[in-house]
Coordinates of all heavy atoms in Angstrom, one line a residue:
Y1 N 0.8 -1.2 0.0 CA 0.0 0.0 0.0 C 0.9 1.2 0.0 O 2.0 1.2 0.5 CB -0.9 0.0 1.2 CG -1.9 -1.1 1.2 CD1 -1.7 -2.2 2.0 CD2 -3.0 -1.0 0.5 CE1 -2.6 -3.2 2.1 CE2 -4.0 -2.0 0.5 CZ -3.8 -3.1 1.3 OH -4.7 -4.1 1.3
I2 N 0.3 2.3 -0.5 CA 1.0 3.6 -0.5 C 0.1 4.6 0.0 O -1.1 4.7 -0.3 CB 1.4 4.0 -2.0 CG1 2.3 3.0 -2.6 CG2 2.1 5.4 -1.9 CD1 2.6 3.2 -4.1
Y3 N 0.6 5.4 1.0 CA -0.2 6.5 1.6 C 0.5 7.8 1.2 O 1.7 7.9 1.2 CB -0.2 6.4 3.1 CG -0.8 5.1 3.6 CD1 -0.1 4.0 3.9 CD2 -2.2 5.0 3.6 CE1 -0.7 2.8 4.4 CE2 -2.8 3.8 4.0 CZ -2.0 2.7 4.4 OH -2.6 1.6 4.8
Y4 N -0.3 8.9 1.1 CA 0.3 10.2 0.7 C -0.2 11.2 1.8 O -1.3 11.2 2.2 CB -0.2 10.7 -0.6 CG 0.2 9.8 -1.8 CD1 -0.6 8.8 -2.3 CD2 1.5 9.9 -2.3 CE1 -0.2 8.0 -3.3 CE2 1.9 9.1 -3.3 CZ 1.1 8.1 -3.8 OH 1.5 7.3 -4.9
D5 N 0.8 12.1 2.2 CA 0.5 13.3 3.0 C 1.0 14.5 2.2 O 2.1 14.4 1.6 CB 1.2 13.2 4.4 CG 0.6 12.1 5.2 OD1 -0.6 12.0 5.4 OD2 1.4 11.3 5.8
Y6 N 0.3 15.6 2.3 CA 0.7 16.8 1.5 C 0.9 17.9 2.5 O 0.2 18.1 3.4 CB -0.4 17.2 0.5 CG -0.7 16.1 -0.5 CD1 -1.6 15.1 -0.3 CD2 0.1 16.1 -1.7 CE1 -1.8 14.1 -1.3 CE2 -0.1 15.1 -2.6 CZ -1.0 14.1 -2.4 OH -1.2 13.2 -3.4
Y7 N 2.0 18.6 2.2 CA 2.5 19.8 3.1 C 2.7 21.0 2.2 O 3.3 20.8 1.1 CB 3.7 19.4 3.8 CG 3.7 18.2 4.7 CD1 4.1 16.9 4.2 CD2 3.1 18.2 5.9 CE1 4.0 15.8 4.9 CE2 3.0 17.1 6.7 CZ 3.5 15.8 6.2 OH 3.4 14.7 6.9
S8 N 2.4 22.2 2.6 CA 2.7 23.4 1.9 C 2.8 24.5 2.8 O 2.3 24.5 4.0 CB 1.6 23.6 0.8 OG 0.4 23.9 1.4
D9 N 3.5 25.6 2.4 CA 3.5 26.8 3.2 C 2.3 27.6 3.0 O 1.4 27.3 2.2 CB 4.8 27.6 2.9 CG 4.8 28.2 1.5 OD1 3.9 27.9 0.7 OD2 5.8 28.8 1.1
S10 N 2.1 28.7 3.7 CA 0.9 29.5 3.7 C 0.6 30.1 2.4 O -0.5 30.4 2.0 CB 0.9 30.5 4.8 OG 2.0 31.4 4.6
L11 N 1.7 30.4 1.6 CA 1.5 31.0 0.3 C 1.5 30.0 -0.9 O 1.4 30.3 -2.0 CB 2.7 32.0 0.0 CG 2.8 33.1 1.0 CD1 4.1 33.9 0.8 CD2 1.6 34.0 1.0
V12 N 1.6 28.7 -0.5 CA 1.7 27.6 -1.5 C 2.8 27.8 -2.5 O 2.7 27.5 -3.7 CB 0.3 27.4 -2.1 CG1 0.3 26.1 -2.9 CG2 -0.8 27.4 -1.1
D13 N 3.9 28.5 -2.1 CA 5.0 28.6 -2.9 C 5.8 27.3 -3.0 O 6.5 27.0 -3.9 CB 5.9 29.7 -2.4 CG 5.3 31.1 -2.7 OD1 4.5 31.2 -3.6 OD2 5.7 32.0 -1.9
F14 N 5.8 26.6 -1.9 CA 6.6 25.4 -1.8 C 5.7 24.3 -1.2 O 5.0 24.5 -0.2 CB 7.8 25.6 -0.9 CG 8.7 24.5 -0.8 CD1 9.5 24.2 -1.8 CD2 8.7 23.6 0.3 CE1 10.4 23.1 -1.8 CE2 9.6 22.6 0.4 CZ 10.4 22.3 -0.6
S15 N 5.6 23.2 -1.9 CA 4.8 22.1 -1.3 C 5.6 20.8 -1.4 O 6.4 20.6 -2.3 CB 3.5 22.0 -2.1 OG 3.7 21.7 -3.4
L16 N 5.3 19.9 -0.5 CA 5.9 18.6 -0.5 C 4.8 17.5 -0.4 O 3.8 17.7 0.2 CB 6.8 18.5 0.8 CG 8.2 19.1 0.8 CD1 8.8 18.9 2.1 CD2 9.0 18.6 -0.3
R17 N 5.2 16.4 -0.9 CA 4.3 15.2 -0.8 C 5.1 14.1 -0.1 O 6.3 13.8 -0.5 CB 3.9 14.7 -2.2 CG 3.0 13.5 -2.1 CD 2.5 13.0 -3.4 NE 3.7 12.4 -4.1 CZ 3.8 12.2 -5.4 NH1 3.0 12.7 -6.2 NH2 4.9 11.5 -5.9
K18 N 4.6 13.6 1.0 CA 5.3 12.5 1.7 C 4.6 11.2 1.2 O 3.4 11.0 1.4 CB 5.1 12.7 3.2 CG 5.8 11.6 4.0 CD 5.6 11.9 5.5 CE 5.9 10.7 6.3 NZ 5.5 10.9 7.7
E19 N 5.4 10.3 0.7 CA 4.9 9.1 0.2 C 5.4 8.0 1.1 O 6.6 7.8 1.4 CB 5.4 8.8 -1.2 CG 4.9 7.5 -1.8 CD 5.4 7.4 -3.3 OE1 5.1 8.2 -4.1 OE2 6.2 6.4 -3.5
T20 N 4.4 7.3 1.7 CA 4.8 6.2 2.7 C 4.3 4.9 2.1 O 3.1 4.7 1.8 CB 4.1 6.4 4.0 OG1 4.4 7.7 4.5 CG2 4.5 5.4 5.0
R21 N 5.2 4.0 2.0 CA 4.9 2.6 1.5 C 5.0 1.6 2.6 O 6.0 1.7 3.4 CB 5.9 2.2 0.4 CG 5.8 3.0 -0.9 CD 6.8 2.6 -1.9 NE 6.6 3.5 -3.1 CZ 6.1 3.1 -4.2 NH1 5.8 1.8 -4.4 NH2 6.0 3.9 -5.2
V22 N 4.1 0.8 2.7 CA 4.1 -0.2 3.8 C 4.2 -1.6 3.2 O 3.8 -1.8 2.0 CB 2.8 -0.1 4.7 CG1 2.8 1.2 5.4 CG2 1.5 -0.3 3.9
D23 N 4.7 -2.6 4.0 CA 4.8 -3.9 3.5 C 3.6 -4.7 3.8 O 2.6 -4.2 4.2 CB 6.1 -4.6 4.1 CG 6.1 -4.7 5.6 OD1 5.0 -4.5 6.2 OD2 7.1 -5.0 6.2
D24 N 3.6 -6.0 3.6 CA 2.5 -6.9 3.7 C 2.1 -7.0 5.2 O 1.0 -7.5 5.5 CB 2.7 -8.3 3.1 CG 4.0 -8.9 3.7 OD1 4.8 -8.3 4.3 OD2 4.1 -10.2 3.4
K25 N 2.9 -6.6 6.1 CA 2.6 -6.7 7.6 C 2.1 -5.3 8.0 O 2.1 -5.0 9.2 CB 3.8 -7.1 8.4 CG 4.1 -8.6 8.1 CD 5.3 -9.0 9.0 CE 5.6 -10.5 8.8 NZ 6.7 -10.9 9.7
D26 N 1.9 -4.4 7.1 CA 1.5 -3.0 7.4 C 2.5 -2.2 8.2 O 2.2 -1.3 9.0 CB 0.1 -3.0 8.2 CG -0.7 -1.7 7.9 OD1 -0.5 -1.1 6.8 OD2 -1.4 -1.3 8.8
R27 N 3.8 -2.5 8.0 CA 4.9 -1.8 8.6 C 5.4 -0.8 7.6 O 5.4 -1.1 6.4 CB 6.0 -2.7 9.0 CG 5.6 -3.8 10.0 CD 6.7 -4.7 10.3 NE 7.2 -5.4 9.0 CZ 8.1 -6.3 9.0 NH1 8.6 -6.8 10.1 NH2 8.4 -6.9 7.8
I28 N 5.9 0.4 8.0 CA 6.4 1.3 7.1 C 7.7 0.7 6.5 O 8.6 0.3 7.2 CB 6.8 2.7 7.8 CG1 5.5 3.3 8.3 CG2 7.6 3.6 6.9 CD1 5.7 4.6 9.2
Y29 N 7.8 0.8 5.2 CA 9.0 0.3 4.5 C 9.8 1.4 3.9 O 11.0 1.4 4.1 CB 8.5 -0.7 3.4 CG 9.7 -1.3 2.6 CD1 10.7 -1.9 3.2 CD2 9.7 -1.0 1.3 CE1 11.8 -2.4 2.5 CE2 10.8 -1.5 0.5 CZ 11.8 -2.2 1.1 OH 12.9 -2.7 0.4
I30 N 9.1 2.3 3.2 CA 9.8 3.4 2.6 C 9.0 4.7 2.8 O 7.8 4.7 2.7 CB 10.0 3.2 1.1 CG1 10.9 2.1 0.8 CG2 10.6 4.5 0.5 CD1 11.1 1.7 -0.6
E31 N 9.7 5.8 3.2 CA 9.1 7.1 3.3 C 9.9 8.0 2.3 O 11.2 8.0 2.4 CB 9.2 7.7 4.7 CG 8.2 7.2 5.6 CD 8.3 7.8 7.0 OE1 9.3 8.4 7.3 OE2 7.3 7.8 7.7
A32 N 9.3 8.7 1.5 CA 9.9 9.6 0.5 C 9.3 11.0 0.5 O 8.1 11.1 0.6 CB 9.9 9.0 -0.9
L33 N 10.1 12.0 0.5 CA 9.6 13.4 0.4 C 9.9 13.9 -1.0 O 11.0 13.9 -1.5 CB 10.4 14.3 1.4 CG 10.0 14.1 2.8 CD1 10.9 15.1 3.7 CD2 8.6 14.4 3.1
I34 N 8.8 14.3 -1.7 CA 8.9 14.7 -3.1 C 8.3 16.1 -3.2 O 7.2 16.4 -2.7 CB 8.1 13.7 -4.0 CG1 8.7 12.3 -3.8 CG2 8.1 14.1 -5.4 CD1 7.8 11.2 -4.2
D35 N 8.9 17.0 -4.0 CA 8.4 18.4 -4.1 C 7.4 18.4 -5.3 O 7.1 17.4 -5.9 CB 9.5 19.4 -4.3 CG 10.2 19.3 -5.6 OD1 9.9 18.5 -6.4 OD2 11.0 20.2 -5.9
N36 N 6.8 19.6 -5.5 CA 5.8 19.8 -6.5 C 6.3 19.6 -7.9 O 5.5 19.5 -8.9 CB 5.0 21.1 -6.3 CG 5.9 22.3 -6.3 OD1 7.1 22.1 -6.3 ND2 5.4 23.5 -6.3
K37 N 7.6 19.6 -8.1 CA 8.2 19.4 -9.4 C 8.7 17.9 -9.6 O 9.4 17.6 -10.4 CB 9.4 20.3 -9.6 CG 9.0 21.8 -9.6 CD 10.2 22.7 -9.8 CE 9.8 24.1 -9.8 NZ 10.9 25.0 -9.8
K38 N 8.2 17.1 -8.6 CA 8.5 15.6 -8.6 C 9.9 15.3 -8.4 O 10.4 14.3 -8.9 CB 7.9 15.0 -9.9 CG 6.4 15.1 -9.9 CD 5.8 14.3 -11.1 CE 4.3 14.5 -11.1 NZ 3.7 13.7 -12.1
R39 N 10.7 16.2 -7.7 CA 12.1 15.9 -7.3 C 12.1 15.2 -6.0 O 11.4 15.6 -5.0 CB 12.9 17.2 -7.3 CG 13.0 17.8 -8.7 CD 13.8 19.1 -8.5 NE 13.1 20.0 -7.7 CZ 13.5 21.3 -7.5 NH1 14.6 21.7 -8.0 NH2 12.7 22.0 -6.7
L40 N 12.9 14.2 -5.8 CA 13.0 13.5 -4.6 C 14.0 14.2 -3.7 O 15.1 14.5 -4.0 CB 13.6 12.1 -4.8 CG 13.8 11.2 -3.6 CD1 12.5 10.9 -2.9 CD2 14.4 9.9 -4.1
F41 N 13.5 14.6 -2.5 CA 14.4 15.3 -1.5 C 15.0 14.4 -0.5 O 16.2 14.5 -0.2 CB 13.5 16.3 -0.7 CG 13.4 17.6 -1.4 CD1 12.3 18.0 -2.1 CD2 14.4 18.6 -1.4 CE1 12.1 19.2 -2.7 CE2 14.3 19.8 -2.0 CZ 13.1 20.1 -2.7
E42 N 14.3 13.5 0.0 CA 14.8 12.6 1.0 C 14.0 11.2 1.0 O 12.9 11.2 0.6 CB 14.5 13.2 2.4 CG 15.0 12.4 3.6 CD 14.7 13.1 4.9 OE1 15.4 14.0 5.2 OE2 13.7 12.7 5.5
K43 N 14.8 10.2 1.3 CA 14.2 8.9 1.3 C 14.7 8.1 2.5 O 15.8 8.2 2.9 CB 14.5 8.1 0.1 CG 13.9 6.7 0.0 CD 14.2 6.1 -1.4 CE 15.3 5.1 -1.3 NZ 15.5 4.3 -2.5
K44 N 13.7 7.5 3.2 CA 14.1 6.7 4.4 C 13.6 5.2 4.1 O 12.5 5.0 3.7 CB 13.4 7.1 5.7 CG 13.9 8.5 6.2 CD 13.1 8.8 7.5 CE 13.5 10.2 8.0 NZ 12.7 10.5 9.2
V45 N 14.5 4.3 4.4 CA 14.2 2.9 4.2 C 14.3 2.2 5.6 O 15.3 2.4 6.3 CB 15.1 2.2 3.2 CG1 14.8 0.7 3.1 CG2 15.1 2.9 1.9
Y46 N 13.2 1.5 6.0 CA 13.1 0.9 7.3 C 13.4 -0.6 7.2 O 12.9 -1.3 6.3 CB 11.8 1.1 7.9 CG 11.5 2.5 8.3 CD1 11.1 3.4 7.3 CD2 11.5 3.0 9.6 CE1 10.8 4.8 7.6 CE2 11.3 4.3 9.9 CZ 10.9 5.2 8.9 OH 10.6 6.5 9.2
Y47 N 14.2 -1.1 8.2 CA 14.4 -2.6 8.2 C 14.0 -3.1 9.6 O 14.2 -2.4 10.6 CB 15.9 -2.8 8.1 CG 16.5 -2.4 6.7 CD1 17.0 -1.1 6.6 CD2 16.4 -3.2 5.6 CE1 17.4 -0.7 5.3 CE2 16.9 -2.8 4.4 CZ 17.4 -1.5 4.2 OH 17.8 -1.1 3.0
Y48 N 13.4 -4.3 9.6 CA 12.8 -4.9 10.8 C 13.5 -6.2 11.2 O 13.9 -6.9 10.3 CB 11.3 -5.1 10.7 CG 10.6 -3.8 10.4 CD1 10.4 -3.2 9.1 CD2 10.1 -3.0 11.5 CE1 9.8 -2.0 8.9 CE2 9.4 -1.9 11.3 CZ 9.3 -1.4 10.0 OH 8.6 -0.2 9.8
N49 N 13.4 -6.6 12.5 CA 13.8 -7.9 12.9 C 12.7 -8.9 12.9 O 11.5 -8.5 12.5 CB 14.6 -7.9 14.2 CG 13.6 -7.5 15.4 OD1 12.4 -7.4 15.2 ND2 14.2 -7.2 16.5
D50 N 12.9 -10.1 13.3 CA 11.8 -11.1 13.3 C 10.6 -10.8 14.3 O 9.5 -11.3 14.1 CB 12.4 -12.5 13.7 CG 13.3 -13.0 12.6 OD1 13.2 -12.6 11.4 OD2 14.2 -13.8 12.9
D51 N 10.9 -9.9 15.2 CA 9.9 -9.5 16.2 C 9.2 -8.2 15.8 O 8.5 -7.6 16.6 CB 10.5 -9.2 17.6 CG 11.1 -10.5 18.2 OD1 10.5 -11.6 17.9 OD2 12.1 -10.4 18.9
D52 N 9.4 -7.8 14.5 CA 8.7 -6.6 13.9 C 9.2 -5.3 14.6 O 8.5 -4.3 14.5 CB 7.2 -6.7 14.0 CG 6.7 -7.8 13.1 OD1 7.4 -8.1 12.1 OD2 5.6 -8.3 13.4
K53 N 10.4 -5.3 15.2 CA 10.9 -4.1 15.7 C 11.9 -3.5 14.7 O 12.6 -4.2 14.0 CB 11.7 -4.4 17.0 CG 10.7 -4.8 18.1 CD 11.5 -5.0 19.4 CE 10.5 -5.4 20.6 NZ 11.3 -5.6 21.8
I54 N 12.0 -2.2 14.7 CA 12.9 -1.5 13.8 C 14.4 -1.8 14.2 O 14.7 -1.6 15.4 CB 12.7 0.0 13.7 CG1 11.3 0.3 13.1 CG2 13.7 0.7 12.9 CD1 10.9 1.7 13.2
I55 N 15.2 -2.3 13.3 CA 16.6 -2.5 13.6 C 17.5 -1.5 12.9 O 18.6 -1.2 13.3 CB 17.0 -3.9 13.3 CG1 16.8 -4.3 11.8 CG2 16.4 -4.9 14.2 CD1 17.4 -5.6 11.4
E56 N 17.0 -0.9 11.8 CA 17.8 0.1 11.1 C 16.9 1.0 10.2 O 15.9 0.5 9.6 CB 18.8 -0.7 10.2 CG 19.8 0.2 9.5 CD 20.8 -0.7 8.7 OE1 20.5 -1.0 7.5 OE2 21.9 -1.0 9.3
I57 N 17.3 2.2 10.1 CA 16.7 3.2 9.2 C 17.8 3.8 8.4 O 18.8 4.4 9.0 CB 15.9 4.3 10.0 CG1 14.8 3.7 10.8 CG2 15.3 5.3 9.0 CD1 14.1 4.7 11.7
K58 N 17.7 3.7 7.1 CA 18.7 4.4 6.2 C 18.0 5.6 5.6 O 17.0 5.5 5.0 CB 19.2 3.5 5.1 CG 20.1 2.4 5.6 CD 20.7 1.6 4.4 CE 21.6 0.5 4.9 NZ 22.1 -0.3 3.8
Q59 N 18.7 6.8 5.8 CA 18.1 8.1 5.4 C 19.0 8.6 4.3 O 20.2 8.9 4.5 CB 18.0 9.0 6.5 CG 17.4 10.4 6.2 CD 17.3 11.3 7.4 OE1 17.7 10.9 8.5 NE2 16.9 12.4 7.2
Y60 N 18.5 8.8 3.1 CA 19.2 9.2 1.9 C 18.9 10.7 1.7 O 17.7 11.1 1.6 CB 18.8 8.4 0.7 CG 19.1 7.0 0.8 CD1 18.2 6.1 1.4 CD2 20.3 6.4 0.4 CE1 18.5 4.7 1.5 CE2 20.6 5.1 0.5 CZ 19.7 4.3 1.0 OH 19.9 2.9 1.2
D61 N 19.9 11.6 1.6 CA 19.7 13.0 1.5 C 20.0 13.4 0.0 O 21.1 13.5 -0.4 CB 20.6 13.8 2.4 CG 20.3 15.3 2.4 OD1 19.7 15.8 1.5 OD2 20.7 15.9 3.4
M62 N 18.9 13.5 -0.8 CA 19.1 13.8 -2.2 C 19.4 15.2 -2.5 O 20.0 15.5 -3.6 CB 17.8 13.4 -2.9 CG 17.4 11.9 -2.7 SD 18.7 10.7 -2.9 CE 18.7 10.6 -4.7
V63 N 19.1 16.2 -1.6 CA 19.5 17.6 -1.8 C 21.0 17.8 -1.8 O 21.6 18.4 -2.6 CB 18.8 18.5 -0.8 CG1 19.2 19.9 -0.9 CG2 17.3 18.4 -0.9
K64 N 21.6 17.2 -0.8 CA 23.1 17.3 -0.7 C 23.8 16.6 -1.9 O 24.9 16.9 -2.3 CB 23.6 16.7 0.6 CG 23.2 17.6 1.8 CD 23.8 17.1 3.1 CE 23.3 18.0 4.2 NZ 23.8 17.5 5.5
R65 N 23.1 15.6 -2.4 CA 23.7 14.9 -3.6 C 23.8 15.8 -4.8 O 24.8 15.8 -5.5 CB 22.8 13.7 -4.0 CG 23.2 13.1 -5.3 CD 22.2 12.0 -5.7 NE 22.6 11.5 -7.0 CZ 21.9 11.6 -8.1 NH1 20.7 12.1 -8.0 NH2 22.3 11.1 -9.2
E66 N 22.8 16.7 -5.0 CA 22.8 17.6 -6.1 C 23.9 18.7 -5.9 O 24.5 19.2 -6.9 CB 21.5 18.3 -6.3 CG 20.4 17.4 -6.7 CD 19.1 18.0 -6.8 OE1 19.0 19.3 -6.6 OE2 18.1 17.3 -7.2
N67 N 24.3 18.9 -4.7 CA 25.3 19.9 -4.4 C 26.7 19.4 -4.4 O 27.7 20.1 -4.4 CB 25.0 20.6 -3.0 CG 23.7 21.4 -3.0 OD1 23.3 21.9 -4.1 ND2 23.1 21.5 -1.9
S68 N 26.8 18.1 -4.5 CA 28.1 17.4 -4.5 C 28.7 17.3 -5.9 O 27.9 17.1 -6.8 CB 28.0 16.0 -3.9 OG 29.2 15.3 -4.1
E69 N 30.0 17.5 -6.0 CA 30.6 17.4 -7.4 C 30.6 16.0 -7.9 O 30.5 15.8 -9.1 CB 32.0 17.9 -7.3 CG 32.1 19.4 -7.0 CD 33.6 19.9 -6.9 OE1 34.5 19.1 -7.2 OE2 33.8 21.0 -6.5
K70 N 30.7 15.0 -7.0 CA 30.7 13.6 -7.5 C 29.3 13.0 -7.5 O 29.2 11.8 -7.9 CB 31.6 12.8 -6.6 CG 33.1 13.3 -6.6 CD 33.9 12.4 -5.6 CE 35.3 12.9 -5.6 NZ 36.1 12.2 -4.6
Y71 N 28.3 13.7 -7.2 CA 26.9 13.2 -7.1 C 26.8 12.0 -6.2 O 26.0 11.1 -6.4 CB 26.4 12.9 -8.5 CG 26.2 14.2 -9.3 CD1 27.1 14.5 -10.3 CD2 25.2 15.0 -9.1 CE1 27.0 15.6 -11.1 CE2 25.0 16.2 -9.8 CZ 25.9 16.5 -10.8 OH 25.8 17.6 -11.6
E72 N 27.6 12.0 -5.1 CA 27.4 10.9 -4.1 C 26.2 11.2 -3.3 O 25.9 12.3 -3.0 CB 28.7 10.8 -3.3 CG 29.9 10.5 -4.1 CD 31.2 10.5 -3.3 OE1 31.2 11.2 -2.2 OE2 32.2 10.0 -3.7
I73 N 25.6 10.1 -2.9 CA 24.4 10.3 -2.0 C 24.8 10.1 -0.6 O 25.2 9.1 -0.1 CB 23.3 9.2 -2.4 CG1 22.9 9.4 -3.9 CG2 22.1 9.4 -1.5 CD1 22.0 8.3 -4.4
P74 N 24.6 11.2 0.2 CA 24.9 11.1 1.7 C 23.9 10.2 2.3 O 22.7 10.3 2.1 CB 24.8 12.5 2.2 CG 24.9 13.4 1.0 CD 24.3 12.6 -0.2
I75 N 24.3 9.3 3.1 CA 23.4 8.4 3.8 C 23.7 8.5 5.3 O 24.8 8.5 5.8 CB 23.7 6.9 3.4 CG1 23.4 6.8 1.9 CG2 22.8 6.0 4.2 CD1 23.8 5.4 1.4
R76 N 22.6 8.6 6.1 CA 22.6 8.6 7.5 C 22.0 7.3 8.0 O 20.9 7.0 7.5 CB 21.9 9.7 8.1 CG 21.9 9.8 9.6 CD 21.2 11.0 10.2 NE 21.9 12.2 9.7 CZ 21.2 13.3 9.4 NH1 19.9 13.4 9.5 NH2 21.9 14.4 9.1
V77 N 22.7 6.5 8.8 CA 22.1 5.2 9.2 C 21.9 5.2 10.7 O 22.8 5.5 11.5 CB 23.1 4.0 8.9 CG1 22.6 2.7 9.4 CG2 23.4 4.0 7.4
H78 N 20.7 4.9 11.1 CA 20.3 4.7 12.5 C 20.1 3.3 12.8 O 19.4 2.6 12.1 CB 19.0 5.5 12.8 CG 19.0 6.9 12.4 ND1 19.4 7.9 13.3 CD2 18.6 7.5 11.3 CE1 19.3 9.0 12.7 NE2 18.8 8.9 11.5
T79 N 20.8 2.7 13.8 CA 20.6 1.3 14.1 C 20.1 1.2 15.6 O 20.3 2.1 16.4 CB 22.0 0.6 14.1 OG1 22.9 1.2 14.9 CG2 22.5 0.5 12.7
Y80 N 19.3 0.2 15.8 CA 18.6 0.0 17.0 C 18.9 -1.4 17.5 O 18.9 -2.4 16.8 CB 17.1 0.2 16.9 CG 16.7 1.5 16.4 CD1 16.6 1.8 15.0 CD2 16.4 2.6 17.3 CE1 16.3 3.1 14.6 CE2 16.1 3.8 16.8 CZ 16.0 4.1 15.5 OH 15.7 5.3 15.0
E81 N 19.1 -1.5 18.8 CA 19.4 -2.8 19.5 C 18.4 -3.0 20.6 O 18.1 -2.0 21.3 CB 20.8 -2.9 20.0 CG 21.9 -2.9 18.9 CD 23.3 -3.0 19.5 OE1 23.4 -3.4 20.6 OE2 24.2 -2.7 18.7
Y82 N 17.9 -4.2 20.8 CA 17.0 -4.5 21.8 C 17.5 -5.7 22.6 O 18.2 -6.5 22.2 CB 15.6 -4.9 21.2 CG 15.0 -3.9 20.3 CD1 15.3 -3.9 18.9 CD2 14.3 -2.8 20.8 CE1 14.7 -2.9 18.1 CE2 13.7 -1.8 20.0 CZ 14.0 -1.9 18.6 OH 13.4 -0.9 17.8
E83 N 17.1 -5.7 23.9 CA 17.5 -6.8 24.8 C 16.4 -7.8 24.8 O 15.3 -7.6 24.7 CB 17.7 -6.2 26.2 CG 18.9 -5.3 26.3 CD 19.2 -4.9 27.7 OE1 18.6 -5.3 28.6 OE2 20.0 -4.0 27.8

């Protein structure tokens, strides 16, 4: 399934669409922020363990990629551990 949330400023000069994709267990799998020109700003990918707990979130920053000379995609990784 795919869910959409829409955000804009008061003048509607800038708007974003948040696209959330869920897997067959209804867990968030991918979140993407897309502007009104259909450019991808940010993407988060969620990973789960066998107990359906988040073990890792990878956050891709597409804006910084455009500003880089090598077009490398900066990635921020959040990892979670449970007892």
Side-chain angles (χ1 to χ4, degrees):
Y1 295 103
I2 302 174
Y3 300 99
Y4 297 100
D5 292 314
Y6 296 90
Y7 305 95
S8 65
D9 65 359
S10 60
L11 301 174
V12 192
D13 289 336
F14 184 76
S15 63
L16 284 176
R17 180 179 76 202
K18 179 179 164 186
E19 182 178 298
T20 304
R21 294 177 181 250
V22 295
D23 62 11
D24 57 345
K25 293 183 179 181
D26 206 30
R27 303 176 300 188
I28 295 173
Y29 176 59
I30 296 175
E31 285 183 337
L33 291 177
I34 303 164
D35 72 355
N36 55 351
K37 296 179 182 175
K38 298 185 179 181
R39 292 180 297 185
L40 180 63
F41 274 101
E42 180 183 283
K43 180 171 101 172
K44 291 182 184 177
V45 180
Y46 293 78
Y47 299 91
Y48 297 88
N49 65 10
D50 294 334
D51 296 328
D52 294 334
K53 293 182 179 180
I54 296 173
I55 56 171
E56 186 175 86
I57 301 172
K58 289 186 179 178
Q59 182 178 0
Y60 300 88
D61 189 340
M62 305 308 283
V63 174
K64 289 184 181 176
R65 174 185 174 240
E66 292 177 3
N67 296 332
S68 170
E69 292 178 11
K70 297 179 182 178
Y71 293 104
E72 295 173 343
I73 302 173
I75 299 173
R76 180 179 296 145
V77 178
H78 302 272
T79 57
Y80 300 87
E81 294 182 14
Y82 302 95
E83 293 183 9

